[in-house]
């Protein structure tokens, strides 16, 4: 069974870059699409974007200009960079997998809280 | 973006009750709708995909239905472990979007 684990700083200063990594174990990086999803305190979920093992990406247009997604298949990791952060980017960030042929987020990491504050 | 409107936003029911949550899409999404359960402090968990297909391992008391713009999620007999927030999510159009959530509590 695939397992995902987010890692990265829990505190980022305004205007700086948020950087997170998701480590994947238990399945191949070719097994699906690798997503980032966030949830602001008390709010619903917001899809950020996905990356495929080939490196192709798709972003949420609301965030597209600030997002960089990358993948390291040799180390079974993928990463998110979100630049020019503000307090509105404070959220729990999840990585999640959509298996091949599925539209659903079937596997999730536990989530990591990132606070944007000086 | 496609908007998903869930109702009610919260509900309180007794153990054993039948509970139904609705999700209305702002445009036709065919059957491209999924349902998740989120317990406090935990990641969401997929329960239903493609509107009505039960995810492997999910209890059979959970079910989903609908197509087009109107969808339902039902718990046939509410159990104490079902407390949490339930979200619908569409994947018909990019970007994928989520409903606002329905908090389910035990009366």
């Amino acid at each position: 069974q695939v397992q995902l684990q987010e890692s990265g700083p829990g505190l980022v200063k305004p205007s700086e870059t948020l950087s997170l990594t998701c480590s994947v174990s238990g399945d191949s990086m070719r097994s699906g699409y690798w997503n980032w999803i966030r949830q602001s305190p008390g709010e619903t979920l917001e899809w950020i974007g996905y990356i495929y093992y080939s490196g192709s990406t798709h972003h949420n247009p609301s965030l597209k200009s600030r997002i960089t997604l990358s993948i390291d298949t040799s180390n079974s990791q993928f990463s998110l960079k979100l630049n020019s952060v503000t307090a509105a980017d404070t959220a729990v960030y999840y990585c999640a997998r959509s298996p091949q042929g599925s539209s659903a987020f079937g596997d999730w990491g536990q989530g990591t809280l990132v606070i944007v504050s000086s | 973006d496609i908007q998903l409107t869930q109702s009610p936003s919260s509900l309180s029911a007794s153990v054993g009750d039948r509970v139904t949550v609705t999700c209305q899409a702002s445009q036709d999404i065919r059957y491209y709708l999924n349902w998740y359960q989120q317990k406090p402090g935990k990641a969401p968990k997929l329960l239903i995909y493609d509107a009505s297909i039960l995810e492997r391992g999910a209890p059979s008391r959970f079910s989903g239905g609908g197509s087009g713009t109107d969808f339902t999620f039902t718990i046939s007999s509410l159990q104490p472990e079902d407390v949490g927030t339930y979200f619908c999510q569409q994947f018909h159009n990019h970007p994928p979007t989520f409903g606002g959530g329905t908090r389910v509590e035990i009366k």
Side-chain angles (χ1 to χ4, degrees), chain A residues 39 44-45 47 94 103 105 108-109, chain B residues 36 38 42-44 91 96 99:
Chain A
Q39 186 172 32
T44 190
L45 298 141
W47 177 77
Y94 296 99
S103 68
F105 305 113
W108 296 67
Chain B
Y36 301 84
Q38 185 177 34
K42 300 293 187 181
F91 209 102

Side-chain angles (χ1 to χ4, degrees), chain A residues 5-103:
Chain A
Q5 177 69 58
E6 305 88 351
S7 60
L11 181 64
V12 181
K13 290 182 167 56
S15 80
E16 295 191 345
T17 296
L18 178 160
S19 295
L20 296 174
T21 295
C22 183
S23 298
V24 179
S25 60
D27 207 345
S28 167
M29 294 296 285
R30 294 174 179 245
S31 63
Y33 295 82
W34 305 98
N35 299 266
W36 290 98
I37 297 163
R38 70 180 183 179
Q39 186 172 32
S40 301
E43 299 292 328
T44 190
L45 298 141
E46 179 181 29
W47 177 77
I48 297 170
Y50 74 64
I51 188 165
Y52 195 47
Y53 78 92
S54 61
S56 65
T57 61
H58 203 129
H59 303 144
N60 192 322
S62 67
L63 299 168
K64 183 174 182 177
S65 61
R66 298 197 290 136
I67 296 173
T68 302
L69 299 178
S70 59
I71 192 164
D72 179 357
T73 55
S74 60
N75 288 307
S76 295
Q77 294 180 332
F78 63 104
S79 298
L80 165 70
K81 291 188 187 299
L82 180 66
N83 60 37
S84 305
V85 296
T86 70
D89 295 308
T90 293
V92 175
Y93 286 76
Y94 296 99
C95 54
R97 181 182 71 165
S98 303
Q100 292 275 15
S102 171
S103 68

Side-chain angles (χ1 to χ4, degrees), chain B residues 86-98:
Chain B
Y86 294 80
F87 294 93
C88 55
Q89 174 248 325
Q90 68 82 23
F91 209 102
H92 182 263
N93 284 4
H94 269 275
T97 50
F98 292 84

